[in-house]
Amino acid sequence: MKTFYLTTPIYYPNARPHVGSAYTTIVCDVIARYKRMCGYDVAFLTGTDEHGEKLQRAAEAEGKSPAEFVASKRELFRKLWRVLNISEYRFVHTSQNPDHVRSVQWMLQQAEKNGYIEKKRYEGRYCVSDERYVSDNTDAVNCDICGRSAELISEENYFFKLSAFQDRLLELYEKHPEFVQPHFRHNEVTSFVRSGLRDMSVSRHRIKWGVPWPDDPDQVFYVWYDALTSYMTGIGFKSVDPVRKAEFQKYWHNDPAAGNEIVHMIGKDILRFHAVYWPAFIMAAFPDQPEMLPTTIFAHGWIYYEEDKMSKSKGNVVYPEPIVDALNSFGAPGNDALRYYLLREAPFGQDTSFSYDALIQRYNSDLANGLGNLASRTLAMISRYCGGNIPDFAEFKRRVPGWDQGLRWDNLAQEVSAAYEAFNLSSAAEKIWKVIAHYGDEFLATHQPWTHADNPERRYFVEGILYIALEAVRAAAVLAYPILPKATEKIWAQLGCEDYLGKLKDQSIDQIKWGELRPGVTLGKPEPIFPRLDKDKTLAKLHELAEADYNRDKPKEATKSVESEPPSGTGRGPQELPGGQPVKQDTAKMAVPQAPNADQKISIEDFAKVEMRVGEVLSAEPIPGATKLLKLQVDIGTEVRQVCAGIAEHYPPEQLVGMKVILVTNLQPRKLRGVESNGMILAASVGEQGKPILATFKEDVPKGAKLK
């Protein structure tokens, strides 16, 4: 049997998981459900990454031992996955786990045996938030990922010779472009590795909360070496249990041609650790064994709130539980509604913005008026005109030649399956709703079976039209099951399909065939699956429950924490600790600095504060909903910066790739249309309309060169 091993990030349990953590896990759950419906033997792993200096400090701040602290936070994730109806997953945690200790130490010992570990003294700047060394220079510097001030560290550590893997990593990316997805992330990683890799410390001397270093009790493992190995631990690597060891042999095998894949789904903030460090660690332990490398590292975007970064200080962190409870209180399936909204709104691999208004609007338009309306309306008419039994289709087919022109959904079902395969879940949902829209109001309004219901000579027509509409309901239930498992199972029960087609979760989603409904089968009672929501009442309930949730949580999170999380909730990225109530912030009052006039002079010292470097554009793409903005990935030699530029009306994206530009690199990050911009590209403003002309170079200038 084909195997598919899928993992979420191993979440950092510094705080309660929010809607970003939910998004990543929902994405993985949808993919896992889809793959099972395609006949794969699926192992789906999630868990918590429980070591490191940040957690040790956070535990001390709460007056707890690290073990007590992480155990309490770990359970918050398990509880949320139950709320969100996450299916058949395995859970790994890295602390107090003998199997994991054996796994991590074995990986290290193999790397050491193969010549990739050495001990030496390190002195430089270290970022506690991102658990990484930032600079070999002792001068004060901020972390290039989170922007925080890096601490001065001097200690003797063990180092991993990452620099030895530069060529092998580049060869991996070239031969296997599917290794990093989406494609623009592949370009970003390739550019980073080409700029040069340096050896990295993989042990820590000054902390004790971690996996112990073999034969050196004064050291513990660098937390990323530890955390990444948990992907193997979670399915039995180095377990003493023979059953679990056999599971590892079955699932950890990268051979897509034979139907065996290993996929890590992560947030973009931890891409470098997964796409650079992790394959290097594996290569060091398993030389000449490419089947041990993952098949794909897929980096999705972040979830923002109202186009703004979620943070405790702003009071705009969104938690899933109040949303689910609020919608449930109106009779709506809250977990399915949240799942659908997050997946439908997020463009393929891009950032997206969470909004309560948009959640309600999407629910009413797609779920209540779309799938729910098609199902309840069709079943109600069959109950009224066909005695509640699936109508016969044979007479309609015989008397209406060419009936299937434009009515069969086979091709569209194949397109949905292809979108699932590509992890393009927003597109999959969009295509499913094309089936629903076509066979919903449009199809039924065109043929109006109710106008023929009293004419015995037209009974075949009424039954044929309702059979076609009911087939669309069945198709929608099968295709949407990975996204809406609870609601579609209710629809499946109303269709009465389980007795002769089996359980919904066991349907062959990639081989679904038209015409499998069995005439004469009695349908269930038509009941609304998605009752329409009153916007004002629902918004009031959402804010009421969110505020109550915040007040319950407030005493637990009142202590100032050194922790941070990105808007995606996927790992150790830059963001303040979540904990605030989700209320809309007034961003219209932000102060806008005024440009100086031509007569206003600045000093050379002021000008020297502006850092400008040469950058090469690696990728450019439109920002959804913005007519003037493009999102660029710009390589400035030492790193790749994401930059927003208002040049979409004058520069097609493909024209920009490869262009050398001037980037102001020391500006504070700014959000534009929910997308964070880390720099500004210089351009001349020409004519009355201010047409931008990008400043570039006639001669070939190296990336990263500083302008003076």
XYZ file of all heavy atoms in Angstrom, residues 82-168:
727
model
N -9.179 18.444 19.578
C -10.489 17.804 19.744
C -11.608 18.760 19.326
O -12.568 18.351 18.658
C -10.689 17.355 21.194
C -9.807 16.178 21.599
C -10.251 15.573 22.925
N -10.019 16.463 24.053
C -8.898 16.505 24.758
N -7.875 15.719 24.443
N -8.779 17.329 25.786
N -11.473 20.015 19.695
C -12.482 21.009 19.328
C -12.590 21.130 17.809
O -13.689 21.270 17.249
C -12.142 22.381 19.958
C -13.021 23.492 19.371
C -12.295 22.323 21.469
N -11.464 21.048 17.119
C -11.425 21.255 15.669
C -11.653 19.972 14.876
O -11.537 19.974 13.657
C -10.088 21.884 15.278
C -9.831 23.278 15.852
C -8.425 23.745 15.517
C -10.864 24.275 15.355
N -11.933 18.871 15.571
C -12.232 17.597 14.908
C -11.050 17.114 14.071
O -11.202 16.668 12.935
C -13.488 17.741 14.031
C -14.067 16.399 13.615
O -13.756 15.361 14.198
N -14.902 16.412 12.589
N -9.853 17.197 14.641
C -8.652 16.714 13.958
C -8.622 15.187 14.057
O -8.813 14.614 15.120
C -7.382 17.331 14.579
C -7.472 18.860 14.549
C -6.140 16.844 13.852
C -7.664 19.475 13.181
N -8.351 14.530 12.943
C -8.565 13.086 12.842
C -7.286 12.263 12.960
O -6.259 12.631 12.416
C -9.218 12.763 11.496
O -8.327 13.077 10.426
N -7.356 11.164 13.649
C -6.375 10.082 13.620
C -4.924 10.575 13.579
O -4.166 10.205 12.698
C -6.652 9.168 12.422
C -8.035 8.534 12.434
C -8.278 7.727 11.172
O -7.421 6.885 10.837
O -9.317 7.941 10.516
N -4.572 11.401 14.527
C -3.217 11.931 14.530
C -2.389 11.268 15.626
O -2.912 10.727 16.596
C -3.228 13.452 14.731
C -3.739 13.908 16.074
C -2.874 14.038 17.160
C -5.076 14.225 16.259
C -3.334 14.463 18.393
C -5.552 14.652 17.494
C -4.676 14.764 18.550
O -5.129 15.179 19.778
N -1.077 11.324 15.448
C -0.141 10.891 16.481
C 0.454 12.139 17.121
O 0.619 13.156 16.446
C 0.982 10.048 15.862
C 0.462 8.798 15.169
C 1.449 8.321 14.100
N 0.864 7.267 13.296
C 1.265 6.004 13.307
N 2.287 5.644 14.074
N 0.678 5.104 12.552
N 0.783 12.049 18.393
C 1.288 13.211 19.119
C 2.639 12.863 19.730
O 2.772 11.871 20.443
C 0.308 13.616 20.223
C 0.529 14.988 20.777
C -0.199 16.070 20.310
C 1.474 15.215 21.770
C 0.005 17.340 20.819
C 1.683 16.479 22.281
C 0.946 17.551 21.807
N 3.641 13.683 19.421
C 4.971 13.485 19.987
C 5.323 14.697 20.847
O 4.928 15.824 20.525
C 6.029 13.290 18.874
C 6.192 14.547 18.034
C 7.375 12.858 19.459
N 6.004 14.473 21.950
C 6.551 15.589 22.723
C 8.009 15.266 23.027
O 8.380 14.100 23.201
C 5.750 15.850 23.999
C 5.661 14.691 24.941
N 6.604 14.447 25.917
C 4.746 13.705 25.052
C 6.266 13.374 26.597
N 5.150 12.888 26.089
N 8.821 16.301 23.083
C 10.272 16.088 23.116
C 10.853 15.969 24.517
O 11.980 15.500 24.663
C 10.990 17.226 22.370
O 10.678 18.468 22.998
C 10.572 17.279 20.911
N 10.138 16.413 25.549
C 10.706 16.325 26.898
C 10.240 15.049 27.587
O 9.138 14.547 27.319
C 10.303 17.543 27.733
O 8.938 17.502 28.079
N 11.101 14.529 28.463
C 10.784 13.334 29.247
C 10.305 12.187 28.352
O 9.305 11.529 28.628
C 9.733 13.677 30.307
C 10.219 14.754 31.280
C 9.159 15.192 32.249
O 8.084 15.629 31.860
N 9.446 15.069 33.531
N 11.029 11.970 27.271
C 10.658 10.973 26.266
C 11.900 10.143 25.944
O 12.753 10.570 25.156
C 10.126 11.683 25.016
C 9.614 10.727 23.962
O 9.984 9.558 23.921
N 8.767 11.232 23.075
N 12.057 8.959 26.539
C 13.281 8.165 26.334
C 13.547 7.827 24.873
O 14.700 7.831 24.433
C 13.012 6.899 27.159
C 11.998 7.304 28.177
C 11.147 8.326 27.516
N 12.490 7.527 24.101
C 12.679 7.241 22.673
C 13.313 8.423 21.954
O 14.182 8.268 21.088
C 11.338 6.912 22.012
C 10.854 5.500 22.319
O 11.598 4.753 22.973
O 9.740 5.158 21.894
N 12.848 9.620 22.328
C 13.355 10.811 21.658
C 14.815 11.066 22.023
O 15.622 11.452 21.166
C 12.499 12.019 22.027
C 12.886 13.268 21.297
N 12.816 13.379 19.918
C 13.376 14.452 21.745
C 13.234 14.577 19.557
N 13.585 15.246 20.638
N 15.172 10.865 23.268
C 16.571 11.034 23.692
C 17.472 10.102 22.880
O 18.524 10.511 22.366
C 16.727 10.769 25.196
C 18.209 10.738 25.588
C 16.001 11.842 26.006
N 17.056 8.849 22.738
C 17.850 7.899 21.949
C 17.980 8.355 20.502
O 19.054 8.261 19.892
C 17.209 6.504 21.996
C 17.551 5.690 23.223
C 17.111 4.244 23.068
N 15.656 4.142 22.941
C 14.832 4.061 23.975
N 15.320 4.061 25.203
N 13.533 3.961 23.797
N 16.882 8.863 19.933
C 16.895 9.296 18.533
C 17.868 10.447 18.308
O 18.691 10.430 17.384
C 15.483 9.732 18.113
O 14.570 8.672 18.174
N 17.769 11.467 19.168
C 18.604 12.655 19.006
C 20.078 12.300 19.194
O 20.944 12.722 18.405
C 18.173 13.752 20.000
C 19.104 14.956 19.904
C 16.737 14.182 19.733
N 20.378 11.538 20.216
C 21.776 11.178 20.473
C 22.336 10.299 19.360
O 23.503 10.450 18.980
C 21.882 10.482 21.828
C 21.617 11.419 23.007
C 21.770 10.741 24.353
O 21.727 9.506 24.459
N 21.956 11.525 25.409
N 21.521 9.410 18.807
C 21.994 8.569 17.707
C 22.317 9.415 16.480
O 23.350 9.203 15.825
C 20.947 7.517 17.355
C 21.423 6.524 16.327
C 22.033 5.336 16.558
C 21.334 6.657 14.897
N 22.341 4.705 15.376
C 21.918 5.501 14.329
C 20.830 7.632 14.043
C 22.002 5.291 12.951
C 20.913 7.433 12.668
C 21.489 6.280 12.143
N 21.440 10.366 16.150
C 21.686 11.241 14.993
C 23.009 11.982 15.165
O 23.798 12.103 14.222
C 20.541 12.237 14.840
C 19.220 11.633 14.391
S 19.197 11.197 12.642
C 19.083 12.820 11.887
N 23.255 12.467 16.368
C 24.497 13.194 16.646
C 25.708 12.277 16.532
O 26.731 12.634 15.918
C 24.411 13.807 18.044
C 25.587 14.594 18.620
C 26.686 13.733 19.179
C 26.131 15.582 17.598
N 25.619 11.110 17.111
C 26.758 10.187 17.092
C 27.119 9.762 15.669
O 28.292 9.609 15.348
C 26.448 8.973 17.975
C 26.474 9.307 19.465
C 25.803 8.266 20.328
O 24.991 7.463 19.848
N 26.132 8.256 21.619
N 26.101 9.618 14.823
C 26.379 9.276 13.421
C 27.054 10.440 12.702
O 27.991 10.250 11.930
C 25.086 8.889 12.695
C 24.483 7.573 13.155
C 25.455 6.407 12.993
O 25.925 5.840 13.975
N 25.781 6.078 11.760
N 26.569 11.655 12.969
C 27.193 12.831 12.356
C 28.633 12.982 12.820
O 29.534 13.324 12.039
C 26.383 14.079 12.690
N 28.866 12.727 14.105
C 30.229 12.811 14.651
C 31.121 11.740 14.037
O 32.267 12.005 13.655
C 30.162 12.651 16.162
C 31.471 12.930 16.884
C 31.290 12.925 18.382
O 30.458 12.144 18.880
O 31.976 13.712 19.053
N 30.597 10.540 13.921
C 31.342 9.434 13.316
C 31.738 9.757 11.879
O 32.824 9.385 11.412
C 30.474 8.176 13.355
C 31.050 6.969 12.642
C 30.054 5.814 12.686
C 30.511 4.652 11.815
N 29.497 3.562 11.796
N 30.865 10.488 11.178
C 31.127 10.830 9.779
C 31.914 12.120 9.617
O 32.097 12.614 8.499
C 29.807 10.909 9.010
C 29.119 9.560 8.910
O 29.769 8.523 8.776
N 27.790 9.551 8.987
N 32.372 12.712 10.726
C 33.288 13.843 10.665
C 32.651 15.207 10.606
O 33.302 16.173 10.187
N 31.396 15.348 11.062
C 30.702 16.624 10.919
C 30.485 17.356 12.246
O 29.751 18.345 12.290
C 29.353 16.417 10.223
C 29.497 15.890 8.817
C 29.033 14.626 8.475
C 30.119 16.654 7.834
C 29.173 14.128 7.191
C 30.268 16.171 6.544
C 29.797 14.904 6.233
O 29.944 14.422 4.956
N 31.105 16.892 13.329
C 30.960 17.544 14.629
C 32.350 17.871 15.182
O 33.257 17.031 15.134
C 30.220 16.636 15.640
C 28.839 16.241 15.119
C 30.103 17.318 16.996
C 27.854 17.371 14.992
N 32.520 19.088 15.686
C 33.766 19.458 16.354
C 33.458 20.396 17.519
O 32.446 21.089 17.514
C 34.741 20.123 15.379
C 34.282 21.459 14.833
C 35.341 22.111 13.948
O 36.514 21.704 14.031
O 34.986 23.024 13.186
N 34.333 20.405 18.513
C 34.138 21.253 19.681
C 35.064 22.456 19.593
O 36.257 22.310 19.313
C 34.420 20.462 20.960
C 33.989 21.174 22.244
C 34.180 20.271 23.461
C 33.615 20.911 24.716
N 33.813 20.061 25.916
N 34.520 23.641 19.823
C 35.339 24.850 19.804
C 34.625 25.948 20.573
O 33.449 25.845 20.899
C 35.624 25.294 18.368
C 34.398 25.607 17.526
C 34.802 25.956 16.100
C 33.589 26.249 15.223
N 33.974 26.584 13.828
N 35.363 27.017 20.869
C 34.793 28.123 21.639
C 34.080 29.081 20.702
O 34.544 29.374 19.609
C 35.887 28.867 22.417
C 35.385 30.146 23.131
C 36.296 30.563 24.241
N 36.255 29.610 25.349
C 35.286 29.590 26.277
N 34.304 30.465 26.242
N 35.330 28.710 27.256
N 32.949 29.553 21.180
C 32.177 30.538 20.418
C 32.045 31.810 21.237
O 31.769 31.776 22.435
C 30.774 30.019 20.090
C 29.918 31.072 19.422
C 30.012 31.288 18.060
C 29.060 31.879 20.175
C 29.253 32.268 17.447
C 28.303 32.857 19.570
C 28.398 33.051 18.204
O 27.659 34.028 17.590
N 32.220 32.918 20.576
C 31.962 34.221 21.188
C 31.245 35.072 20.160
O 31.744 35.265 19.042
C 33.259 34.893 21.632
C 33.008 36.180 22.417
C 34.285 36.742 23.024
O 35.219 37.012 22.249
O 34.339 36.900 24.246
N 30.104 35.540 20.512
C 29.336 36.355 19.575
C 27.957 36.657 20.122
O 27.710 36.568 21.331
N 27.065 37.039 19.215
C 25.727 37.475 19.600
C 24.707 36.358 19.339
O 24.714 35.733 18.279
C 25.346 38.728 18.815
C 26.188 39.939 19.197
C 25.769 40.497 20.555
N 26.671 41.546 21.033
C 26.424 42.288 22.102
N 25.319 42.107 22.803
N 27.289 43.195 22.490
N 23.825 36.147 20.331
C 22.879 35.037 20.302
C 21.473 35.568 20.554
O 21.249 36.365 21.468
C 23.253 34.025 21.383
C 22.328 32.839 21.490
C 22.394 31.806 20.570
C 21.400 32.745 22.525
C 21.554 30.710 20.673
C 20.556 31.656 22.637
C 20.640 30.642 21.710
O 19.811 29.552 21.819
N 20.498 35.141 19.729
C 19.104 35.541 19.905
C 18.375 34.451 20.676
O 18.200 33.334 20.175
C 18.428 35.766 18.552
S 16.667 36.142 18.702
N 17.933 34.771 21.881
C 17.216 33.801 22.706
C 15.853 33.487 22.098
O 15.398 32.344 22.102
C 17.043 34.338 24.148
C 16.167 33.405 24.977
C 18.405 34.525 24.796
N 15.187 34.491 21.520
C 13.848 34.294 20.971
C 13.835 33.265 19.860
O 12.976 32.394 19.806
C 13.292 35.618 20.449
O 12.026 35.425 19.870
N 14.807 33.342 18.945
C 14.850 32.423 17.816
C 15.826 31.281 18.015
O 16.014 30.462 17.113
C 15.214 33.191 16.525
C 14.079 34.077 16.062
O 12.962 33.560 15.956
O 14.301 35.268 15.832
N 16.451 31.215 19.190
C 17.377 30.128 19.521
C 18.445 29.966 18.431
O 18.655 28.881 17.894
C 16.604 28.799 19.684
C 15.531 28.808 20.751
C 16.076 28.523 22.129
O 17.306 28.514 22.284
O 15.275 28.313 23.052
N 19.127 31.053 18.110
C 20.128 30.969 17.051
C 21.215 32.012 17.268
O 20.965 33.089 17.831
C 19.501 31.162 15.669
C 18.794 32.490 15.491
C 18.036 32.577 14.180
N 18.927 32.665 13.055
C 19.312 33.817 12.500
N 18.893 34.960 12.994
N 20.125 33.816 11.471
N 22.429 31.684 16.806
C 23.530 32.643 16.821
C 23.378 33.584 15.643
O 23.137 33.166 14.518
C 24.867 31.907 16.768
C 25.164 31.171 18.053
C 24.912 29.807 18.171
C 25.664 31.846 19.161
C 25.164 29.132 19.358
C 25.913 31.189 20.352
C 25.663 29.832 20.444
O 25.907 29.174 21.616
N 23.515 34.862 15.929
C 23.231 35.891 14.937
C 24.501 36.428 14.294
O 24.556 36.657 13.091
C 22.440 37.048 15.585
C 22.266 38.203 14.611
C 21.098 36.541 16.098
N 25.542 36.627 15.098
C 26.743 37.263 14.573
C 27.969 36.791 15.344
O 27.920 36.624 16.567
C 26.622 38.794 14.686
O 27.841 39.421 14.361
N 29.073 36.566 14.618
C 30.338 36.230 15.260
C 31.014 37.462 15.844
O 32.003 37.355 16.572
C 31.282 35.572 14.235
C 30.768 34.219 13.794
O 30.079 33.567 14.581
O 31.051 33.819 12.653
N 30.469 38.614 15.528
C 31.013 39.872 16.036
C 30.442 40.131 17.435
O 29.280 39.861 17.701
C 30.618 41.010 15.081
C 31.462 42.239 15.291
O 31.704 42.637 16.428
N 31.901 42.849 14.208
N 31.252 40.656 18.317
C 30.781 40.925 19.684
C 30.036 42.253 19.792
O 29.454 42.555 20.833
C 31.964 40.931 20.666
O 32.913 41.916 20.245
C 32.608 39.562 20.722
N 30.054 43.067 18.716
C 29.339 44.340 18.752
C 27.836 44.102 18.867
O 27.312 43.083 18.403
C 29.617 45.151 17.482
C 31.074 45.567 17.391
O 31.741 45.589 18.440
O 31.544 45.844 16.270
N 27.132 45.073 19.464
C 25.683 44.963 19.620
C 25.017 44.848 18.252
O 25.370 45.560 17.302
C 25.143 46.185 20.361
N 24.049 43.936 18.149
C 23.359 43.716 16.887
C 21.976 43.146 17.175
O 21.762 42.495 18.205
C 24.165 42.735 15.983
C 24.217 41.344 16.595
C 23.581 42.675 14.582
N 21.042 43.413 16.273
C 19.698 42.846 16.387
C 19.577 41.604 15.513
O 20.234 41.500 14.463
C 18.634 43.865 15.970
C 18.558 45.026 16.939
O 18.925 44.903 18.110
N 18.088 46.164 16.454
N 18.725 40.684 15.933
C 18.472 39.469 15.150
C 17.824 39.839 13.819
O 16.889 40.655 13.776
C 17.566 38.520 15.931
S 17.056 37.059 15.015
N 18.296 39.248 12.714
C 17.751 39.573 11.406
C 16.405 38.906 11.153
O 15.747 39.190 10.148
C 18.733 39.178 10.293
C 19.065 37.695 10.308
O 19.065 37.095 11.391
O 19.325 37.133 9.234
N 15.958 38.017 12.048
C 14.652 37.389 11.891
C 13.595 38.120 12.713
O 12.566 38.534 12.194
C 14.699 35.896 12.291
C 15.539 35.113 11.286
C 13.296 35.308 12.369
C 15.627 33.631 11.581
N 13.849 38.279 14.019
C 12.813 38.862 14.882
C 13.064 40.319 15.230
O 12.167 40.985 15.740
C 12.660 38.044 16.164
S 14.063 38.206 17.303
N 14.281 40.821 15.006
C 14.575 42.215 15.291
C 14.966 42.515 16.722
O 15.292 43.656 17.054
N 14.944 41.499 17.599
C 15.306 41.727 18.992
C 16.822 41.861 19.162
O 17.587 41.362 18.344
C 14.797 40.583 19.869
C 13.286 40.559 20.047
C 12.887 39.369 20.912
N 11.479 39.410 21.277
C 10.498 38.967 20.491
N 10.795 38.449 19.314
N 9.236 39.040 20.880
N 17.203 42.492 20.265
C 18.620 42.649 20.560
C 19.226 41.286 20.903
O 18.680 40.535 21.715
C 18.793 43.605 21.737
O 20.143 43.701 22.114
N 20.345 40.949 20.265
C 21.015 39.666 20.506
C 21.960 39.786 21.702
O 22.652 40.793 21.872
C 21.783 39.241 19.260
N 21.982 38.745 22.535
C 22.808 38.752 23.735
C 24.245 38.336 23.414
O 24.483 37.537 22.509
C 22.217 37.784 24.768
C 20.837 38.172 25.253
C 20.321 37.232 26.324
O 21.108 36.359 26.775
O 19.148 37.356 26.715
N 25.186 38.876 24.185
C 26.593 38.506 24.032
C 26.843 37.186 24.759
O 26.557 37.055 25.942
C 27.497 39.603 24.594
C 29.010 39.343 24.490
C 29.432 39.204 23.026
C 29.784 40.468 25.164
N 27.360 36.215 24.030
C 27.586 34.877 24.568
C 29.045 34.483 24.328
O 29.612 34.741 23.266
C 26.667 33.841 23.879
C 25.199 34.174 24.139
C 26.982 32.424 24.336
C 24.789 34.076 25.587
N 29.620 33.827 25.319
C 30.959 33.262 25.152
C 30.984 31.918 25.869
O 30.863 31.859 27.095
C 32.025 34.194 25.738
O 33.311 33.601 25.623
N 31.105 30.831 25.100
C 31.136 29.510 25.700
C 31.708 28.496 24.718
O 31.766 28.751 23.509
C 29.740 29.072 26.152
C 28.725 28.926 25.030
C 27.356 28.503 25.568
O 27.032 28.822 26.724
O 26.623 27.845 24.820
N 32.115 27.344 25.249
C 32.651 26.280 24.420
C 31.512 25.319 24.074
O 30.856 24.780 24.962
C 33.769 25.527 25.154
C 34.562 24.604 24.251
C 35.787 24.021 24.940
O 35.672 23.671 26.132
O 36.836 23.928 24.295
N 31.288 25.130 22.780
C 30.179 24.311 22.304
C 30.648 23.325 21.246
O 31.757 23.438 20.702
C 29.082 25.193 21.681
C 28.363 26.037 22.707
O 28.316 25.677 23.876
N 27.828 27.158 22.281
N 29.745 22.399 20.906
C 29.957 21.505 19.772
C 29.316 22.134 18.536
O 28.205 22.667 18.599
C 29.342 20.136 20.051
C 30.064 19.366 21.123
C 29.680 19.482 22.461
C 31.134 18.530 20.807
C 30.344 18.785 23.460
C 31.804 17.829 21.798
C 31.409 17.959 23.127
O 32.066 17.269 24.107
N 30.039 22.054 17.428
C 29.577 22.683 16.195
C 29.306 21.633 15.125
O 30.036 20.646 14.995
C 30.608 23.686 15.678
C 30.513 25.031 16.335
C 30.881 25.202 17.667
C 30.039 26.126 15.640
C 30.782 26.430 18.286
C 29.939 27.362 16.244
C 30.312 27.524 17.575
N 28.252 21.872 14.346
C 27.922 21.044 13.184
C 28.470 21.741 11.943
O 28.251 22.940 11.738
C 26.402 20.887 13.079
C 25.958 20.100 11.874
C 25.992 18.716 11.877
C 25.505 20.753 10.736
C 25.579 17.985 10.765
C 25.088 20.038 9.623
C 25.126 18.648 9.637
N 29.178 20.986 11.095
C 29.831 21.568 9.918
C 28.815 21.752 8.781
O 28.845 21.079 7.758
C 30.994 20.693 9.474
C 32.103 20.607 10.516
C 33.253 19.728 10.034
C 34.356 19.630 11.078
N 35.470 18.748 10.631
N 27.930 22.717 8.975
C 26.902 22.994 7.973
C 27.509 23.426 6.645
O 26.979 23.125 5.575
C 25.956 24.077 8.509
C 24.768 24.451 7.623
C 23.819 23.269 7.452
C 24.020 25.652 8.211
N 28.633 24.123 6.708
C 29.268 24.621 5.481
C 29.646 23.498 4.527
O 29.733 23.705 3.315
C 30.513 25.436 5.835
O 31.434 24.640 6.580
N 29.840 22.284 5.050
C 30.225 21.155 4.204
C 29.083 20.679 3.317
O 29.299 19.868 2.403
C 30.709 19.994 5.077
N 27.865 21.171 3.583
C 26.696 20.658 2.869
C 26.137 21.637 1.838
O 25.096 21.377 1.239
C 25.602 20.286 3.878
C 25.972 19.110 4.724
C 26.647 19.296 5.929
C 25.692 17.824 4.310
C 27.015 18.220 6.709
C 26.053 16.741 5.081
C 26.727 16.931 6.282
N 26.842 22.737 1.608
C 26.308 23.746 0.697
C 26.062 23.176 -0.691
O 24.966 23.313 -1.256
C 27.257 24.948 0.620
C 26.749 26.038 -0.325
C 27.532 27.339 -0.159
O 28.072 27.614 0.910
N 27.581 28.132 -1.200
N 27.038 22.526 -1.272
C 26.893 21.997 -2.630
C 25.848 20.886 -2.688
O 25.075 20.793 -3.651
C 28.239 21.482 -3.155
C 29.234 22.609 -3.399
O 28.791 23.772 -3.502
O 30.449 22.329 -3.469
N 25.822 20.034 -1.670
C 24.852 18.943 -1.673
C 23.419 19.467 -1.550
O 22.485 18.926 -2.162
C 25.167 17.966 -0.534
C 26.188 16.906 -0.933
C 26.584 16.037 0.235
N 27.602 16.686 1.056
C 28.238 16.091 2.064
N 27.914 14.836 2.383
N 29.159 16.729 2.751
